[in-house]
Amino acid sequence: MTATSSAEIAATPPDMLAAIDMGSNSFHMVVARLVQGEIRTMERMGEKVQLGDGLDPENNLTEEAQQRGLDCLRRFAQRLNGTPPEGVQIVGTNALRVARNANQFIARAEEVLGYPVEIIAGREEARLIYLGVSHTLSDDAGRRLVIDIGGGSTELIIGERFEPQELESLHMGCVSFRNRYFSDGRITRKQMDKAITHAEQELLGIRRRFRSIGWESSVGASGSIKAICNVLATLKITDGTVTWSAMEELRRRLVDMGSVEKLGELGLRPDRQNIFPAGFAILMGAFQSLNIQELTYTDGALREGLLYGIAGRIQHEDVRERSISALQERYQADQNHGAAVEATAVAAWEQIAEHWGLDTPTDEETLRWACRLHEIGLAISHSQYHKHGAYLLHYSDLAGFTQQAQRELAILVRGHRRKFSSSIFDGVDPGDLGRLRHLCILVRLAVLIQHSRNLEPPPAFTLQPREQGLLVTFPEGWFDERPLTYADLMNEQDYLAKQNFVLELAGG
């Protein structure tokens, strides 16, 4: 029996989809149905968790903050129950990007939810925000600027229709600004000016680039911006549209009020009041730095972007495939050789995946992509190119990939040749160690079998698991015509033996 391929799974797509965004300020969940290729939202849930407020001076999440997050996730978990894993994506953003003990919280969250939890990079968060926003707006021609002010970071995107053109994630958010400028609950002119100036300083690095590209419309996509729009409408300053003059008027009124305790008079919920001045200062800094004249609000955000990302994968419109192809092109990888290595690795995987516990679409995808990219480090230098390739994969901005997925690709590329040492897997969660070790061995074998680079199809070899290793049997006479490949495989026995893995060769 062969393992179920990702193509077979995709043939029966899940009916229900769910996405959870574990933000620095709030956790959100959205549940939807995929009906004839269209997403229909069934339920939304959100809670103010303020995970980012629970970072101690050493950037560790406190036990109290972790418990707030886990309590929220327990409530979400009931609604997730029974949803197919391929229809669920759960991500963490800025607070978990900076938390030194993020892995501890993620392990606890996965136990509560029963699904994998991943951390996404800032620019990937920006891409997903734009994806969610663009699907909630009319499909108008012309570029749009999208701003999302989160608890720990602010994302800015310029795009047209469904394609982002510029992505940026800045390390400023309403929780961090609240703690720095409005921690005592007072709203003074001096502190407001300092906060706005700080936001403008953060925007300085992108101001020229964004303003030179330009946009026809501006959209806000976060709770902070929604609150500003609602306050403007409550005060009858505008109909809810954010304009330059409206921001100036609201700035004056906030300073006159002087305290967050009075913000309830503006119709703000209690849990929104203490972060409202900080969110306002960031948006005001954006208006001034980028010369924004008018901005409207939309409900689309990261969680909706996650849903459309899931749907895209189900419908064979996977942005990750585009990212892999772009890397091959950028670093001039030998794509024909990569395809030959991929075919060989998959031929091996199909025989051993079930026994080794690698029979998931994620394992197959990771294996395939690592094979295609194993030589990208040659663009830097032939010497130690496997290490250069791993560095590129670890630190590049790859659309569609979580930080964990990039780390796994980097590990397979790092470990595809030469010494097979334990240091390759430094920092890997013990629960993933065996899986990545086995995937790495499959890549190593495929690279050696295709070492001659003559683009041959995979040989008719067979793989049989052993208690401490693997028996690989080759067709009779195959080694006679390939003495160098035989020598490579004999050397590989020595490399793998140092990790207590026994590679047996037969036939040939």
Side-chain angles (χ1 to χ4, degrees):
M1 178 179 175
T2 60
T4 304
S5 71
S6 57
E8 291 171 325
I9 289 176
T12 55
D15 178 53
M16 298 298 293
L17 309 179
I20 294 177
D21 154 24
M22 298 189 299
S24 301
N25 188 44
S26 302
F27 283 14
H28 293 275
M29 180 172 75
V30 59
V31 179
R33 289 187 63 203
L34 186 61
V35 181
Q36 296 181 340
E38 295 295 323
I39 290 177
R40 295 182 183 174
T41 299
M42 308 295 292
E43 187 173 358
R44 298 177 190 269
M45 297 176 68
E47 292 189 22
K48 197 78 64 182
V49 173
Q50 294 199 329
L51 197 65
D53 206 26
L55 290 167
D56 67 18
E58 284 74 44
N59 273 347
N60 285 303
L61 286 170
T62 64
E63 178 60 25
E64 182 183 2
Q66 292 192 52
Q67 284 299 331
R68 289 199 303 269
L70 295 172
D71 289 345
C72 172
L73 294 178
R74 287 189 186 94
R75 290 185 278 274
F76 287 180
Q78 182 179 353
R79 189 63 184 84
L80 281 179
N81 189 32
T83 307
E86 60 272 22
V88 177
Q89 189 165 17
I90 304 162
V91 302
T93 57
N94 186 261
L96 290 173
R97 286 197 287 268
V98 303
R100 296 175 63 185
N101 60 341
N103 287 341
Q104 177 193 80
F105 177 75
I106 287 173
R108 298 171 76 178
E110 289 179 339
E111 187 176 351
V112 167
L113 293 165
Y115 294 88
V117 174
E118 300 172 294
I119 300 174
I120 54 174
R123 289 195 177 187
E124 174 63 6
E125 182 180 354
R127 185 191 70 84
L128 289 166
I129 288 168
Y130 185 81
L131 186 62
V133 167
S134 62
H135 277 88
T136 60
L137 299 175
S138 58
D139 187 16
D140 298 330
R143 284 188 293 270
R144 60 172 67 103
L145 170 69
V146 175
I147 302 176
D148 187 298
I149 302 170
S153 65
T154 294
E155 280 66 48
L156 299 101
I157 312 100
I158 295 176
E160 189 165 2
R161 290 183 169 164
F162 301 110
E163 292 297 325
Q165 296 169 358
E166 290 289 334
L167 300 163
E168 198 58 68
S169 178
L170 302 178
H171 194 61
M172 60 177 178
C174 57
V175 173
S176 57
F177 266 46
R178 187 269 320 270
N179 293 344
R180 183 160 183 173
Y181 297 106
F182 306 102
S183 60
D184 60 0
R186 296 168 62 232
I187 309 172
T188 66
R189 180 179 301 279
K190 182 178 179 180
Q191 291 304 99
M192 179 62 76
D193 289 348
K194 282 185 176 180
I196 294 170
T197 299
H198 184 172
E200 290 185 273
Q201 288 173 328
E202 292 289 335
L203 288 155
L204 193 60
I206 69 167
R207 183 178 65 181
R208 179 177 295 180
R209 175 161 47 99
F210 270 54
R211 289 176 66 165
S212 66
I213 294 169
W215 53 86
E216 280 72 50
S217 61
S218 303
V219 182
S222 65
S224 287
I225 295 177
K226 180 180 182 180
I228 291 170
C229 293
N230 289 341
V231 166
L232 291 174
T234 298
L235 296 175
K236 295 184 169 35
I237 297 174
T238 70
D239 60 358
T241 301
V242 184
T243 64
W244 179 279
S245 59
M247 289 292 283
E248 288 284 7
E249 173 65 15
L250 183 53
R251 177 184 189 174
R252 184 186 64 77
R253 295 203 189 192
L254 289 174
V255 171
D256 286 346
M257 295 181 86
S259 172
V260 297
E261 294 178 355
K262 297 182 179 180
L263 296 183
E265 300 170 14
L266 304 180
L268 287 169
R269 301 193 316 263
D271 61 355
R272 174 62 61 180
Q273 292 170 17
N274 69 349
I275 58 173
F276 183 82
F280 173 85
I282 292 172
L283 186 61
M284 189 68 188
F287 260 71
Q288 294 185 171
S289 180
L290 300 178
N291 194 26
I292 300 170
Q293 298 301 313
E294 184 176 292
L295 178 141
T296 56
Y297 172 76
T298 180
D299 280 326
L302 173 58
R303 49 203 172 275
E304 285 78 21
L306 290 168
L307 285 181
Y308 282 101
I310 297 168
R313 295 176 192 182
I314 292 170
Q315 297 166 354
H316 308 289
E317 297 170 359
D318 194 341
V319 68
R320 296 174 301 172
E321 288 285 352
R322 297 210 312 256
S323 293
I324 297 298
S325 296
L327 280 177
Q328 289 178 296
E329 294 286 346
R330 183 184 310 161
Y331 298 111
Q332 299 180 332
D334 185 337
Q335 296 187 36
N336 291 328
H337 177 60
V341 171
E342 177 187 351
T344 305
V346 171
W349 173 81
E350 288 174 338
Q351 298 181 56
I352 202 72
E354 187 174 6
H355 183 85
W356 276 356
L358 304 177
D359 51 344
T360 70
T362 298
D363 292 322
E364 182 183 358
E365 290 164 348
T366 302
L367 180 68
R368 288 180 179 275
W369 292 329
C371 290
R372 294 181 209 171
L373 299 174
H374 74 281
E375 289 187 332
I376 62 171
L378 286 170
I380 296 175
S381 170
H382 183 274
S383 175
Q384 306 288 311
Y385 73 83
H386 52 305
K387 296 181 181 179
H388 301 317
Y391 182 89
L392 291 172
L393 284 168
H394 194 109
Y395 293 104
S396 294
D397 286 319
L398 301 184
F401 283 90
T402 63
Q403 291 183 337
Q404 174 68 15
Q406 287 190 220
R407 278 196 296 268
E408 293 189 356
L409 279 178
I411 286 169
L412 297 195
V413 170
R414 167 68 178 82
H416 88 267
R417 67 193 288 263
R418 300 288 178 89
K419 294 180 181 178
F420 193 55
S421 65
S422 298
S423 63
I424 294 169
F425 304 99
D426 283 350
V428 170
D429 186 285
D432 290 324
L433 183 58
R435 180 176 67 87
L436 289 174
R437 188 167 170 261
H438 283 141
L439 285 171
C440 202
I441 289 169
L442 293 178
V443 177
R444 292 175 70 93
L445 288 174
V447 169
L448 293 179
I449 290 169
Q450 291 293 341
H451 195 177
S452 61
R453 309 184 76 92
N454 57 12
L455 306 182
E456 287 183 319
F461 59 80
T462 59
L463 277 68
Q464 294 174 273
R466 292 288 189 259
E467 185 176 347
Q468 294 294 330
L470 187 67
L471 169 64
V472 186
T473 304
F474 288 87
E476 285 298 325
W478 197 79
F479 286 145
D480 294 337
E481 299 175 8
R482 300 165 182 83
L484 292 178
T485 301
Y486 180 70
D488 285 339
L489 289 167
M490 294 295 287
N491 288 335
E492 184 68 3
Q493 288 180 321
D494 294 335
Y495 284 135
L496 297 183
K498 292 178 180 177
Q499 289 295 308
N500 299 316
F501 187 93
V502 179
L503 175 64
E504 300 179 52
L505 303 175

